[in-house]
Amino acid sequence: MLFLDDFMGYDTSLDANLLPVGDTTKIELTNGTFDEVFVDKNLNREYTTKIPDWGYDTVLDAKFHNNLLGGNIEFTLDSISHLVLKQRKYGDYNWVTLAKIPINKEEDLNVFYNNKLPASNTTYEYQIVPIVNGVEGIPQTVTTDIKFDGAFIMDDTYTYQIILNLQKDSLTRNNPSSIVTPQKSKYPYVVYTSQSVYDTISISGTFIELNRETCEFEVANGHTYRKKIRDFLTNQKPKLLKLWNGEIYLGNVTDGITETDDGHTDNVITKFIFTETGDTDSNADLYYHGFIDYLGE
């Protein structure tokens, strides 16, 4: 009879000890039959022969159900009720909540969102945040640079670009007030009649249709296209005006639309006045003007 003490060198030699292996980028299984492979980043998890459920520290859980999937689609669908998409200018503190997307099936996790809000010449951060039991989970953040030429004017349905002859003719900061002149005073005094302080911008340029396939301007039917532009500018819907240099305004087209031939009947300058009616960094203003579908909380 043999009595063995620490025959493997240590009394914990046969335990499932954690081994420092550095960064792991590949797992290879060979010459065996495997029911499941589970990888987790939580080094404080209590050792057990039962494989735990997917958690926030889980990296891989491959169950080999006739496939090599190792993701968390089933866990995600069971635990996440919505995905929230957010945007902010890089360096800013406040986020604009663009959308709150319900998650009911696997296809809902393939998110497509047509975002009209970014200004040119600006770096933005975007976050997609899972909502778990009514609470925001761990967000995923990306950063992207936005740049375009010319100017865009858009409502919640249509978007048009000015490329040629673009001019910002003027900008007026409006500060409504009244001057009162008392009978027995040398100087008048000023009464500010409201708290409204807003900009009015005069924009001019050539609206001309661009063939996206040939990258050529459709000059022949320019009058028909300009008719569509006039109808669009006067449809009385809120709009976004975005200029190439990063300026962006939320408001409405006010007053009349002027068209002037610039040396040729097909080279027409369209001029309009844009009046600011909201803040492009305000969730509430964007929602009530129809540019986002979620007011936020």
Side-chain angles (χ1 to χ4, degrees):
M1 178 178 294
L2 295 176
F3 293 92
L4 300 178
D5 181 24
D6 296 341
F7 73 100
M8 293 295 292
Y10 298 96
D11 57 2
T12 59
S13 295
L14 295 181
D15 290 351
N17 291 332
L18 300 173
L19 300 177
V21 296
D23 293 337
T24 301
T25 60
K26 178 181 177 182
I27 295 177
E28 183 175 348
L29 305 177
T30 59
N31 300 325
T33 300
F34 305 93
D35 295 323
E36 187 172 356
V37 174
F38 182 86
V39 179
D40 195 88
K41 294 186 294 184
N42 182 4
L43 301 182
N44 296 318
R45 187 186 294 276
E46 183 179 353
Y47 174 73
T48 173
T49 57
K50 180 183 177 181
I51 295 180
D53 294 329
W54 189 288
Y56 287 111
D57 293 315
T58 305
V59 176
L60 173 73
D61 187 8
K63 298 180 179 180
F64 305 119
H65 292 164
N66 297 317
N67 58 54
L68 295 178
L69 296 178
N72 65 338
I73 293 295
E74 293 180 359
F75 168 80
T76 299
L77 292 177
D78 288 341
S79 60
I80 294 179
S81 61
H82 294 81
L83 291 177
V84 173
L85 180 61
K86 299 182 179 183
Q87 166 191 288
R88 71 179 175 186
K89 295 175 183 176
Y90 185 80
D92 283 2
Y93 178 76
N94 293 323
W95 293 92
V96 171
T97 303
L98 302 176
K100 187 176 183 180
I101 304 165
I103 302 300
N104 299 307
K105 55 185 182 299
E106 182 177 341
E107 290 77 11
D108 294 337
L109 296 171
N110 298 321
V111 176
F112 174 82
Y113 183 80
N114 183 21
N115 183 19
K116 294 188 173 186
L117 303 182
S120 181
N121 211 27
T122 305
T123 300
Y124 283 92
E125 286 183 299
Y126 289 92
Q127 271 192 359
I128 190 162
V129 186
I131 302 298
V132 181
N133 297 324
V135 179
E136 290 191 356
I138 300 174
Q140 300 294 320
T141 305
V142 296
T143 303
T144 185
D145 297 322
I146 306 296
K147 190 174 183 61
F148 55 77
D149 295 324
F152 284 92
I153 184 165
M154 60 193 69
D155 60 18
D156 59 347
T157 306
Y158 299 104
T159 300
Y160 293 98
Q161 186 178 17
I162 308 174
I163 301 176
L164 304 178
N165 303 317
L166 173 63
Q167 292 288 334
K168 186 178 77 172
D169 300 307
S170 66
L171 185 150
T172 301
R173 171 59 60 92
N174 299 281
N175 190 19
S177 60
S178 296
I179 298 176
V180 180
T181 55
Q183 290 183 348
K184 296 184 179 181
S185 174
K186 179 179 179 181
Y187 297 103
Y189 61 89
V190 177
V191 177
Y192 293 98
T193 56
S194 83
Q195 295 183 348
S196 296
V197 178
Y198 59 94
D199 291 335
T200 300
I201 306 100
S202 175
I203 297 291
S204 62
T206 299
F207 286 95
I208 186 168
E209 191 170 11
L210 179 65
N211 188 315
R212 299 296 177 181
E213 295 181 358
T214 64
C215 292
E216 295 179 352
F217 292 116
E218 301 285 356
V219 178
N221 296 316
H223 62 92
T224 303
Y225 186 68
R226 289 193 296 274
K227 171 65 165 55
K228 290 173 59 177
I229 296 296
R230 293 195 301 273
D231 292 341
F232 165 75
L233 292 175
T234 56
N235 65 11
Q236 301 181 1
K237 297 177 68 175
K239 293 176 175 59
L240 280 172
L241 174 65
K242 308 197 295 185
L243 305 183
W244 81 100
N245 59 359
E247 293 181 65
I248 181 170
Y249 303 95
L250 174 63
N252 290 74
V253 175
T254 54
D255 300 328
I257 311 300
T258 303
E259 290 185 356
T260 306
D261 292 353
D262 187 20
H264 193 280
T265 55
D266 289 326
N267 186 18
V268 177
I269 304 296
T270 300
K271 185 173 183 177
F272 61 91
I273 304 297
F274 193 88
T275 300
E276 188 180 31
T277 60
D279 183 355
T280 57
D281 291 323
S282 166
N283 236 101
D285 288 354
L286 291 168
Y287 175 80
Y288 289 117
H289 283 74
F291 285 98
I292 58 176
D293 297 325
Y294 180 59
L295 179 58
E297 299 175 352

